[in-house]
Amino acid sequence: MIKVVIADDQALVRGGFVVMVRAAPDMEVLGEAGNGTEAVGLVRQHHPDVVLMDIRMPFLDGIEATRAITTNPDTAGVRVLILTTFDLDDYVYRALRAGASGFLLKDTAPEELLAAIRILAAGDALLAPGITRRLIREFASRPEAGARSSPKLLDPLSAREREVLVEVAGGWSNAEIGERLHISAATAKTHVSRLLMKLGAHDRAQLVMIAYETRLVTPS
């Protein structure tokens, strides 16, 4: 069973997500939170696989709650899926930088929400929707964003690892990267694992952020 915690300060919205998740035969809801502080507490108590996290909440917002979860060694393996009303939102970008593994709009169809939870629970990042890459490109292209990650961060990477990072930034899967670079999917997966280790990235979503912010990939 995929274990889920749901955090949203609007009771009706939160209740709707609870109903959707509980209706899935392979999922269970471990708890509900009305603010970021409660969300962090539930995560530390139950260690769910995925947290559905609203951004704008009282006491502790979704960004700081995400950071508290992903930077704590005891909960760093928990995946955070950001839920938002707006598809291009500076708060969403900041949440991705804080360690979120992806985001969805709140009006997403139930089947898409459940599919997203399964993707994150499997250890991947939700990068397939073009809107995610568009959001990253939008904010990574700002002058102040580029200064956050120096190109020197990429110095430890080999030429092949840089090539793989470019493909990851394009949203390609390991199998697709293998086809594009004429290597096996297993080899591509090994390169991605090394990238995560060398760059200190939480998951593939963070690798995409680094690729854009170091200007390895230029927004276009």
Side-chain angles (χ1 to χ4, degrees), residues 7-8 72 84 101 116 147 150 157 161 186 190 192 205 220:
D8 195 300
N72 186 322
T84 180
S101 295
S150 168
L157 304 185
E161 287 168 345
T190 297
V192 171
S220 63

Side-chain angles (χ1 to χ4, degrees), residues 93 139-151 212-215:
Y93 178 76
F139 290 100
S141 64
R142 297 181 178 183
E144 65 272 18
R148 294 172 181 168
S149 297
S150 168
Y212 278 106
E213 292 188 342
T214 57
R215 295 297 192 268

Side-chain angles (χ1 to χ4, degrees), residues 16-123:
F17 288 131
V18 169
V19 170
M20 279 188 276
V21 174
R22 284 181 174 165
D26 57 340
M27 299 180 193
E28 62 176 322
V29 178
L30 298 184
E32 305 175 43
N35 58 66
T37 301
E38 292 179 356
V40 173
L42 286 173
V43 168
R44 291 176 178 172
Q45 179 182 357
H46 297 293
H47 291 83
D49 300 301
V50 178
V51 179
L52 302 186
M53 184 80 76
D54 186 24
I55 289 182
R56 297 177 178 88
M57 294 186 291
F59 303 112
L60 188 71
D61 65 24
I63 297 171
E64 293 307 316
T66 297
R67 183 174 290 108
I69 292 168
T70 60
T71 58
N72 186 322
D74 292 334
T75 57
V78 176
R79 303 294 178 177
V80 178
L81 178 60
I82 297 295
L83 300 171
T84 180
T85 306
F86 306 101
D87 60 356
L88 281 180
D89 188 332
D90 185 46
Y91 288 105
V92 176
Y93 178 76
R94 289 166 53 198
L96 289 172
R97 295 193 84 251
S101 295
F103 83 97
L104 286 177
L105 298 179
K106 287 188 175 181
D107 60 358
T108 295
E111 59 271 20
E112 292 181 12
L113 173 65
L114 298 179
I117 293 173
R118 295 186 181 103
I119 289 172
L120 266 64

